[in-house]
C-alpha cells in the first residue's frame, strides 16, 4: 500500500473472521434453550453455527484509509462511499423493522 491505507483488525468480528449467525440475533427463550438437547446447545456455544464476517469477508482485517494522505478527490470518493453504505444500512434496518412489525420475522 502506498501509505494511503493500512490494515486494521476488523471491529465487527474482532479479527476472528466469523460472527454469530444473524438468525440467532434475537437469542433463545429459556424454554427454547431447555428444549435443545445438550449436543445442540454445545454446538451453538462452540460457534458451530457462526458465519463468515461480511465486513472483512473472513480475513479478520480491513483496510482503513489514512485520510491525511488522501487527495481531495479520494476524500470526496470516500465520503460518497460511506454515505451510500450508511444509506444501505439504514434501508436494511427499516425493512427489517417493517417485517418485524408485520410479523414476518
Amino acid at each position: 500500500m502506498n501509505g494511503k491505507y493500512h490494515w486494521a483488525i476488523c471491529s465487527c468480528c474482532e479479527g476472528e473472521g466469523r460472527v454469530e449467525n444473524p438468525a440467532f440475533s434475537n437469542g433463545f427463550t429459556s424454554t427454547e434453550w431447555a428444549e435443545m438437547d445438550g449436543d445442540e446447545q454445545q454446538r451453538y456455544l462452540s460457534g458451530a453455527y457462526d458465519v463468515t464476517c461480511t465486513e472483512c469477508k473472513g480475513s479478520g482485517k480491513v483496510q482503513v484509509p489514512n485520510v491525511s494522505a488522501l487527495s481531495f478527490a479520494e476524500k470526496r470518493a470516500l465520503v460518497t462511499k460511506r454515505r451510500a453504505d450508511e444509506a444501505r444500512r439504514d434501508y436494511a434496518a427499516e425493512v427489517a423493522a417493517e417485517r418485524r412489525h408485520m410479523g414476518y420475522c
Side-chain angles (χ1 to χ4, degrees):
M1 287 181 259
N2 56 9
K4 293 186 179 192
Y5 291 87
H6 66 275
W7 290 104
I9 298 296
C10 177
S11 62
C12 181
C13 67
E14 297 178 346
E16 295 295 319
R18 299 186 61 75
V19 295
E20 183 176 298
N21 191 320
F24 302 124
S25 64
N26 290 331
F28 299 101
T29 65
S30 57
T31 303
E32 290 171 328
W33 185 256
E35 289 173 353
M36 288 183 199
D37 65 43
D39 289 338
E40 192 173 4
Q41 290 175 349
Q42 189 56 38
R43 280 193 304 275
Y44 174 77
L45 293 173
S46 69
Y49 301 110
D50 289 356
V51 296
T52 302
C53 177
T54 57
E55 296 295 315
C56 67
K57 315 259 187 307
S59 71
K61 61 188 183 304
V62 292
Q63 279 192 321
V64 179
N66 178 2
V67 177
S68 63
L70 298 178
S71 69
F72 182 78
E74 290 167 327
K75 288 177 188 176
R76 186 175 26 201
L78 180 62
V79 168
T80 300
K81 180 186 179 312
R82 287 182 175 173
R83 285 181 179 159
D85 290 346
E86 183 179 3
R88 276 191 291 279
R89 282 190 303 272
D90 290 347
Y91 178 73
E94 185 177 331
V95 168
E98 288 178 4
R99 286 183 176 159
R100 282 190 303 275
H101 179 72
M102 298 298 287
Y104 294 125
C105 295

